[in-house]
Amino acid sequence: MLDPLPDLLAWVLFPTGVTFWSGDDWRETINRVFLLECANYEVDAWGFADAEAAIKAVPLWIKSTRWGGPSVDIDSWLVSGHSNGGQGTWYALTHRPDKIIGAAPVSGYASVQSYVPYQFWNEADPRITLIVQNALRSYRHELLVPNFSGIPTLEQHGSADDNVPVFHSRRLNQLISQSNQPKSNHYHEVHDRNHWYDGVMTTEPLKMFYERILKNPRPPMIPSNFSIVVANTADMGSRGGLTVEQLRRPNQLGRVDVVRHPTSDIWTVKTSNISRFRFMSGRYLDDLPSELVIDGQPMGSLTQHWLLSHCFDCASNGRWSSLGKGPRRYDERQKHQMGPLESILRSSGRFFIQAMSPECIAAALQISRNLFQYFAADTEIIDPENFPHHVSTLISIGKGKSVGCIDRKSRTIKVTATLGVSLDMYDGTQKVYGFEEGMGVIFLSPLSNGGLELIIWGLDDFGLRQATRLVPMLTGVGQPDFIVVRKRCAWEGAAGVLAMGSFDNFWKVTECSFLT
């Protein structure tokens, strides 16, 4: 794909995917990383983590092979991709802006929501539809365009594309222009060209763009004014060294607008739906502020060491204060635990699966097979009686009216033989659903060591099968933090749920959730 460009100053990595039909296709490009995302690349919590793991492996390869050639800067990415990889390029731009030195999406769709015809799904209560779409908000790149202001981009699309309509690139080009960053973006529409043709990734404009970016030793400068739009804190990296740790309402977009004083190191920060943020070391370490004003509240003079060892927290009355970066409340949701069901795919190790009874072994095996089939993931089915305490990613499967893994008092959602399925609400009350045929539940829950657990339960075989099918395997589906299913979901889909929605920052069911 890059044969016409054999002399790029870059490390190039070609992950070929798990199978020929589904997988992670990234290319990374001495001192620079060139990520080239190919057509069958699926952007999700697992796929992007795979790509980042591949980048981090380059220095390890250099060390283990005693490579004597050029080194690599794993924090400088030039990203390019075609088709599905094109939207993967948009994902990298909007979620890891501090690492991107340039990006070239080619014939890529803007987002899964604008490419897939969701109007053909079963009709449902508008709140259900909203919750499903909200679970996909991290992939709605059109809403996240401000995140890469000032980063050089080149969009390319064939005018006769009958696979990904040229509207997608035209629309994003329009949004980039409206976000006041047209100087850093260039749009190239190839006349009368379809979706794919020989040389699509090495046209003259792309060649010039690659070479210009890779020959420039300096990363893009932080704009004097920039913004961060956050859909899910767990997915979002830093911009200008600033990273958001927590949203006030996790199911709503958060935003930070920064104005840097032109003649000093004073930053004026304005926030919307932000509960906590901090600064981190990196390539923009020398650009961090020495004074900070947050929502009109001066925070005083700040040394670099102090700034990196504290975070800024907003109280319920809107007042900001600084906190050390130590442990928070035991019941507080941590950054890596945020997001919908697919958050379980951010595992940095193997998946441990525990079947709470012999009747659940078949479901455990099916989940294990699926994780291997779709992601080539390592899984281990364990005995609940010999539970290893080092587990950081756990999938628990239960069945029946009394299941040990689901009746713990610390759970937001509990199953008890006397009550049924109960949900702990944001206002301290409980919502209880009595048992019914075909009932099942799937939801996220924290582990005591800071890890994450995905709990799957069914009252009977039918309910367990329905809940098991909701384990996230494909992008674009939209599974929120928890779902309570019943028999009619088999033909009504999401429209038949008993309850579904999100958890707040303390693992309670939010008021925005759908409850029958």
Side-chain angles (χ1 to χ4, degrees), residues 18-193:
V18 180
T19 68
F20 69 90
W21 52 268
S22 174
D24 315 328
D25 293 289
W26 291 78
R27 179 189 286 168
E28 51 169 323
T29 0
I30 215 177
N31 298 345
R32 296 284 185 246
V33 175
F34 188 9
L35 279 174
L36 180 55
E37 309 161 46
C38 302
N40 64 329
Y41 173 73
E42 292 286 345
V43 176
D44 52 27
W46 178 272
F48 199 73
D50 249 9
E52 293 188 296
I55 295 170
K56 291 177 182 177
V58 176
L60 300 177
W61 180 88
I62 290 174
K63 183 178 180 179
S64 64
T65 60
R66 299 181 181 178
W67 167 258
S71 62
V72 62
D73 177 3
I74 62 172
D75 291 322
S76 294
W77 304 356
L78 168 59
V79 190
S80 184
H82 176 266
S83 191
N84 205 2
Q87 69 94 24
T89 302
W90 290 119
Y91 185 90
L93 260 174
T94 54
H95 291 76
R96 295 293 186 275
D98 272 359
K99 293 183 181 291
I100 310 298
I101 59 173
V106 178
S107 304
Y109 55 92
S111 63
V112 65
Q113 294 93 328
S114 60
Y115 187 58
V116 177
Y118 285 89
Q119 65 266 29
F120 296 125
W121 284 27
N122 282 357
E123 297 79 6
D125 185 296
R127 178 168 285 200
I128 291 177
T129 303
L130 173 65
I131 290 169
V132 170
Q133 288 297 316
N134 200 39
L136 293 166
R137 65 192 180 277
S138 200
Y139 305 106
R140 191 80 202 201
H141 306 130
E142 298 95 326
L143 300 175
L144 308 177
V145 165
N147 290 349
F148 57 88
S149 175
I151 298 174
T153 56
L154 171 63
E155 296 179 75
Q156 178 180 291
H157 214 120
S159 66
D161 195 324
D162 59 5
N163 187 318
V164 178
V166 70
F167 163 80
H168 290 267
S169 289
R170 290 176 180 175
R171 175 57 177 155
L172 281 164
N173 184 54
Q174 179 187 35
L175 291 170
I176 291 170
S177 298
Q178 292 173 351
S179 67
N180 200 29
Q181 51 173 312
K183 292 183 180 179
S184 59
N185 182 66
H186 297 276
Y187 178 74
H188 176 55
E189 192 166 303
V190 188
H191 178 66
D192 209 27
R193 284 290 196 175

Side-chain angles (χ1 to χ4, degrees), residues 286-416:
D286 294 336
D287 296 309
L288 297 184
S290 60
E291 289 187 45
L292 198 61
V293 179
I294 310 174
D295 294 334
Q297 180 183 340
M299 304 304 294
S301 299
L302 313 168
T303 65
Q304 190 179 92
H305 178 267
W306 187 94
L307 198 63
L308 296 176
S309 60
H310 289 73
C311 64
F312 297 92
D313 188 84
C314 186
S316 58
N317 62 1
R319 296 292 296 174
W320 286 89
S321 60
S322 59
L323 300 172
K325 291 197 298 185
R328 304 286 176 243
R329 284 176 46 176
Y330 74 94
D331 58 345
E332 187 173 9
R333 205 170 176 186
Q334 299 180 40
K335 177 172 180 173
H336 66 275
Q337 298 171 331
M338 293 292 184
L341 292 185
E342 69 164 18
S343 300
I344 198 70
L345 298 178
R346 294 194 196 95
S347 167
S348 57
R350 75 180 67 177
F351 292 91
F352 289 88
I353 305 174
Q354 62 172 352
M356 303 307 295
S357 68
E359 298 172 293
C360 301
I361 292 294
L365 286 170
Q366 185 62 55
I367 292 170
S368 178
R369 281 194 297 264
N370 288 347
L371 288 170
F372 178 76
Q373 177 75 14
Y374 284 88
F375 307 126
D378 292 329
T379 61
E380 181 178 339
I381 298 176
I382 58 176
D383 182 353
E385 298 297 325
N386 299 304
F387 182 81
H389 295 289
H390 65 277
V391 171
S392 60
T393 307
L394 178 66
I395 300 175
S396 300
I397 309 168
K399 177 187 168 187
K401 291 187 176 182
S402 182
V403 184
C405 70
I406 309 177
D407 61 6
R408 299 178 196 166
K409 291 182 179 180
S410 60
R411 303 285 190 212
T412 299
I413 298 178
K414 293 176 278 291
V415 177
T416 56

